Amino acid sequence: MRLEGLLEDDVYSARGAFLNRAQQCFALRCETIPMLEIARQVFCKTTEAVHEHASEMRDQHELDGLKAKYTAKRGFYFEIHITSSGGGGRGGNGGGNNGVEHSSIINEGEESSRDGKGGGFQGGRKRGRGAPDAGNGGISSVSRLPSTFSILSSNGRVVQCTTDELNALNARLRDATNDCLCLTEEALDGVSSDIIAEHLPALHRLIDGLALLDMLCGFARQLETGGKDYVRPALTENTGPLALVGCRHPVLEMSEGFGGNARSFNFQENDTWLSIDSSLHVITGPNMAGKSTYLRQVAAAVVMAQVGCHVAAKFASITPLDRILTRIGTSDSLETNSSSFMVEMQETAYILRHATPQSLVLIDELGRATSTTDGLAVAWAVAEALAATGARTLLATHFAELAELANIYPQCRAWHFSVNTSNNTLDYTFELKPGRCKDKHYGLALAAAVAFPQEALERAKSVVEVLAAEAAETAVAHELNAVQQEESAVWEIVGKLACLAQAFGGGEEDGEEEATAEMLEQLKKLQQEAVEMTLG
């Protein structure tokens, strides 16, 4: 059954509250819904009972001006005018018998008569001249209201009231109305569901098409109005590297303070090189130096590249990855009764079980939710397991000892975010540099920068000196000799040259000059790295 065959022809939206409610209850043809017909009969009979009760109250208490009004919130109630001279009998001096004929149901703010537009209170006022407002069949004061009435409100001229019987009729009317509306809604939902089911495949295709179009428009708009360099990434084979030159965080650089307004400063660009022979990067540095942002911008670049978007970088060469596995942030789980360290271990265990050589693993501050010794041991073991797997891994940590992995495993590299603490302050550069972080006590410098109590700060410095002396006595250095360092650097440059050959060896004629210029720029950068390696 279609909607046009289900709806009544004369259904419309009325201004009056009661008429509008009646239209809703009688909106559907009820030939096929027997229960709806029963609910409508209850609705009609209850409404008639309200009429009869209002007429009974008029006759019993000689209140010809009593009106039954209706609002959607309150339901039916009686309204009686308060006269100024107390002449309230049946019709008063001027009302005559017309007052009996007055409407039994009036919506709030409206007046009507049962037998048309004439008579009643309005007619009585026009003919009655004996006393002001004496012909409205009202009461002289609220105190003269019969005891069977309960006052709802009064403003000095009109009193709104109800009775126990009227309250019961209102409750019955509400139930009948709810039954009508529920059955009507159920019938409409059934018809609508049938109509939608017929066109559901087309709706799904439309939604998918609009979503894809919205995404592509967003990509195009970013390239047109971004104001920064975005590059089309080169996709290499499965054994190829993940190479990002001048990579930026696409959201952070557009926010206020970076790239979002004229008062912004330039976002610090950083490079990334993850390959088979350089798969594990251990990143150290102080708080707020940019470690977490760096991990997130690499993940954003990979996602953007694999969905077909240009990347916020000067150069990007990405091999297809099967998954991105992350362990970022610290939070417990009250629902599963898991502490923050338990959550860390659960997430890390999942990473170790599912990481493959084609995965990107991002770990931020592993093992900080337990003791220093246990946390360092867990982080060390996880780093070794990921290095053996060959998954491309960025491990940000405050454990400076993890940088020793670069001296043990040839596929491991140590990096740090530089910071200047010479003036007992933290001067952040947000620049990623090779090697371990030289300043081990940047936490104390940060405490001093936030007005930490001087006495406690001095005590912390003395304690850290004792701990550093004890660590120096038992430390075992694993230093690479000069030949191993040179071989490692040479192989890294060779890998980068192979990446450039894959990225610019497609032979496309479009944009050949720009591609050549970009390739020359990258070659000059590699040449400079080789020179610095030789001089070092």
Side-chain angles (χ1 to χ4, degrees):
M1 183 185 296
R2 295 295 180 178
L3 287 177
E4 56 269 16
L6 189 65
L7 295 174
E8 291 284 0
D9 296 332
D10 57 349
V11 174
Y12 62 93
S13 178
R15 292 185 58 185
F18 183 76
L19 293 178
N20 193 49
R21 184 68 73 191
Q23 288 288 337
Q24 293 174 358
C25 293
F26 289 83
L28 300 185
R29 295 188 175 97
C30 60
E31 291 83 359
T32 59
I33 313 175
M35 293 301 298
L36 180 59
E37 178 62 24
I38 295 175
R40 287 176 177 177
Q41 290 177 3
V42 176
F43 179 87
C44 294
K45 290 181 179 180
T46 306
T47 306
E48 292 175 359
V50 172
H51 298 211
E52 295 173 357
H53 180 57
S55 179
E56 179 183 350
M57 291 296 101
R58 284 193 208 96
D59 296 338
Q60 181 178 349
H61 301 288
E62 297 184 353
L63 296 172
D64 295 338
L66 182 145
K67 304 173 184 177
K69 289 195 173 183
Y70 180 89
T71 62
K73 182 177 181 181
R74 181 181 290 177
F76 283 105
Y77 63 93
F78 295 146
E79 183 176 282
I80 306 173
H81 283 267
I82 301 175
T83 64
S84 59
S85 60
R90 180 182 296 273
N93 292 332
N97 292 329
N98 288 327
V100 181
E101 302 295 333
H102 199 273
S103 165
S104 60
I105 298 179
I106 300 179
N107 291 300
E108 191 169 18
E110 300 177 5
E111 290 189 357
S112 61
S113 62
R114 183 180 299 175
D115 58 347
K117 299 181 179 179
F121 171 55
Q122 298 291 345
R125 287 185 61 185
K126 291 181 179 179
R127 293 191 297 272
R129 302 288 183 179
D133 294 329
N136 63 357
I139 57 176
S140 58
S141 66
V142 176
S143 61
R144 301 294 298 273
L145 192 68
S147 59
T148 56
F149 288 83
S150 300
I151 298 175
L152 299 176
S153 64
S154 176
N155 61 6
R157 294 180 303 169
V158 175
V159 59
Q160 297 177 350
C161 54
T162 185
T163 64
D164 293 340
E165 184 176 352
L166 184 59
N167 288 334
L169 292 173
N170 274 327
R172 192 185 308 168
L173 186 64
R174 279 194 296 270
D175 291 340
T177 303
N178 290 335
D179 290 342
C180 291
L181 296 181
C182 289
L183 292 171
T184 300
E185 182 179 0
E186 182 179 350
L188 292 175
D189 286 344
V191 175
S192 301
S193 299
D194 294 340
I195 296 175
I196 293 175
E198 295 178 7
H199 304 283
L200 196 58
L203 288 175
H204 283 167
R205 290 194 298 270
L206 177 61
I207 292 172
D208 292 341
L210 289 176
L212 179 60
L213 181 61
D214 179 66
M215 181 184 72
L216 295 177
C217 288
F219 292 167
R221 183 177 182 275
Q222 179 60 38
L223 292 177
E224 181 181 2
T225 62
K228 292 286 185 178
D229 293 331
Y230 275 72
V231 65
R232 179 181 178 181
L235 297 180
T236 60
E237 299 177 355
N238 291 338
T239 58
L242 169 60
L244 301 171
V245 178
C247 185
R248 311 178 306 277
H249 196 293
V251 177
L252 190 57
E253 73 167 349
M254 298 303 298
S255 62
E256 184 175 355
F258 285 98
N261 57 27
R263 300 186 303 275
S264 63
F265 53 89
N266 292 329
F267 188 89
Q268 175 61 48
E269 303 171 347
N270 284 301
D271 300 344
T272 302
W273 174 266
L274 291 168
S275 62
I276 296 178
D277 59 345
S278 178
S279 61
L280 175 62
H281 289 190
V282 178
I283 305 168
T284 57
N287 302 91
M288 302 186 299
K291 300 188 298 296
S292 299
T293 300
Y294 174 70
L295 266 59
R296 287 174 169 84
Q297 77 183 31
V298 172
V302 171
V303 172
M304 293 170 68
Q306 295 204 181
V307 300
C309 180
H310 284 56
V311 176
K314 294 180 178 178
F315 170 79
S317 176
I318 297 177
T319 182
L321 301 176
D322 57 8
R323 67 198 69 189
I324 299 178
L325 302 170
T326 65
R327 218 294 348 130
I328 297 177
T330 300
S331 61
D332 54 14
S333 176
L334 297 178
E335 295 81 3
T336 60
N337 194 28
S338 300
S339 65
S340 55
F341 183 67
M342 175 66 74
V343 174
E344 272 192 60
M345 294 299 97
Q346 291 172 344
E347 294 178 353
T348 305
Y350 181 88
I351 291 175
L352 294 179
R353 288 195 300 267
H354 294 84
T356 69
Q358 293 305 118
S359 302
L360 174 63
V361 180
L362 306 175
I363 300 179
D364 191 8
E365 303 296 344
L366 180 63
R368 61 181 173 180
T370 186
S371 65
T372 303
T373 304
D374 291 349
L376 175 59
V378 169
W380 188 288
V382 170
E384 287 184 334
L386 292 173
T389 302
R392 294 162 174 80
T393 305
L394 298 178
L395 174 60
T397 181
H398 283 292
F399 294 133
E401 295 83 354
L402 291 181
E404 293 291 336
L405 290 166
N407 297 329
I408 302 174
Y409 298 99
Q411 69 270 40
C412 181
R413 301 288 184 271
W415 299 84
H416 73 280
F417 279 91
S418 60
V419 61
N420 184 11
T421 60
S422 58
N423 297 325
N424 293 326
T425 60
L426 292 175
D427 183 14
Y428 295 106
T429 63
F430 306 104
E431 182 180 1
L432 185 65
K433 294 184 177 180
R436 67 178 66 192
C437 186
K438 298 179 181 180
D439 193 343
K440 298 182 179 180
H441 307 314
Y442 44 74
L444 298 179
L446 179 60
V450 296
F452 200 77
Q454 188 63 30
E455 182 178 354
L457 185 61
E458 293 297 332
R459 176 57 179 163
K461 290 181 179 179
S462 63
V463 171
V464 79
E465 290 176 358
V466 174
L467 295 176
E470 293 178 355
E473 294 177 358
T474 58
V476 178
H478 300 277
E479 297 292 340
L480 289 174
N481 56 43
V483 175
Q484 290 175 314
Q485 293 179 359
E486 184 176 352
E487 288 180 355
S488 177
V490 168
W491 277 111
E492 185 168 340
I493 292 179
V494 169
K496 292 182 179 180
L497 286 173
C499 176
L500 288 177
Q502 280 188 327
F504 296 102
E508 298 181 359
E509 296 181 358
D510 296 339
E512 183 176 355
E513 295 182 359
E514 296 181 1
T516 302
E518 178 66 23
M519 181 180 65
L520 291 176
E521 181 180 351
Q522 298 301 325
L523 287 174
K524 290 180 181 179
K525 188 172 182 178
L526 288 178
Q527 183 182 24
Q528 182 64 28
E529 289 184 13
V531 171
E532 292 177 356
M533 178 195 68
T534 304
L535 295 178

